Amino acid sequence: MDTVTRSAKAAFLREDLGPCACQRRIRSTLDVIANKWAVPVLIELVRAEGEPLRFTRLARAIPGITQKELTKQLREMEAAGLVRRKVYPVVPPKVEYTLTELGWSLDPVLDALARWAATYGNVVADNQAQFMARKNADGADPQEPAPPSR
Amino acid sequence: MDTVTRSAKAAFLREDLGPCACQRRIRSTLDVIANKWAVPVLIELVRAEGEPLRFTRLARAIPGITQKELTKQLREMEAAGLVRRKVYPVVPPKVEYTLTELGWSLDPVLDALARWAATYGNVVADNQAQFMARKNADGADPQEPAPPSR
DNA sequence: CGGAATCCAATCCGATACTG
DNA sequence: CAGTATCGGATTGGATTCCG
């Protein structure tokens, strides 16, 4: 069952580009989308389905983010061309954010990520808890971490 | 063409879980795999196709990583149950790393990421360069960032 | 409202040195 | 070989204040 898992997929990763040729390309991409808040922001914009979102609306939709971090993240994504920033010269100020076409192209990645998180997120949390517990109560029988239950 | 992009996909993200219910699950997942070196390490292990990799082999395969960071990353993934660490009590020491079944389940996510990076990575780089240039030479006509060329 | 600026604490990260 | 330990600089992140 696990041989199926490791044979059928990731065909792309196994294409022989040089051993770390794909690593370098991925590095710069990760510098954009692997930031702490990048994915949450992107997901909110995807969920908006093209409807422009204002700054405060975004901030409230993402629990735990501060205004500083949100600003920084949005600027970075604007620079990468993932997000369009539209400023209305009115008072009080009004700024709207939407995904660009390039931003929408991330959809499959975000979807895969969200699916994985929904399926295995709690398993990961359990494993981490057990790992901590095993460190404290040392010398206990070293168990295999819980395999996914499906 | 862009309406196709934004209508056909991300069905999962639009399922109505509460507005940020999916955000919270994703947060903990991202804390594991959105770290600077997590994806590069995972990709190397996937590319090994189940063959155990030793520490130094892993380190050499990932350009720019230091041994300190690699150790930290491997420990974190071991705690999450993504990676199995096998220590041989011999001298000189020998430690082998392999993906667990849970680790293999990340395959679709990594594949999606690698594909996106290969397709749009250079577009992102170009956009960033243009964005920087536009900041320096200010007052120029504000252009739309380059849409993906395919 | 949507930031920018400042201050300050925490933490990260690289380099180096040492060890079983 | 596969780490651990330590140090100092760099980066990150929150809280607060001010501005157009």
Side-chain angles (χ1 to χ4, degrees), chain A residues 54 56 71 75 85 93 97:
Chain A
R54 298 185 61 174
T56 13
T71 300
R75 282 300 187 291
R85 179 169 178 263
Y97 295 93

Side-chain angles (χ1 to χ4, degrees), chain B residues 36-37 64 66-69 72 93:
Chain B
K36 193 179 180 189
W37 297 107
T66 63
Q67 117 283 65
K68 185 186 184 180
E69 295 306 301
K72 196 177 48 164

Side-chain angles (χ1 to χ4, degrees), chain B residues 15-69:
Chain B
E15 278 176 22
D16 33 15
L17 345 140
C20 56
C22 76
Q23 291 279 14
R24 296 201 166 280
R25 264 222 199 70
I26 286 187
R27 189 65 272 147
S28 60
T29 296
L30 285 176
D31 287 339
V32 180
I33 65 168
N35 286 324
K36 193 179 180 189
W37 297 107
V39 170
V41 171
L42 286 170
I43 285 179
E44 269 321 300
L45 289 169
V46 167
R47 286 166 56 96
E49 305 201 35
E51 180 202 1
L53 289 183
R54 298 185 60 174
F55 186 85
T56 12
R57 175 109 179 273
L58 216 33
R60 271 177 314 197
I62 302 170
I65 200 171
T66 63
Q67 117 283 65
K68 185 186 184 180
E69 295 306 301

Side-chain angles (χ1 to χ4, degrees), chain A residues 77-93:
Chain A
M77 296 171 114
E78 192 195 354
L82 301 177
V83 163
R84 189 177 296 110
R85 179 169 178 263
K86 184 160 194 177
V87 183
Y88 294 86
V90 297
V91 42

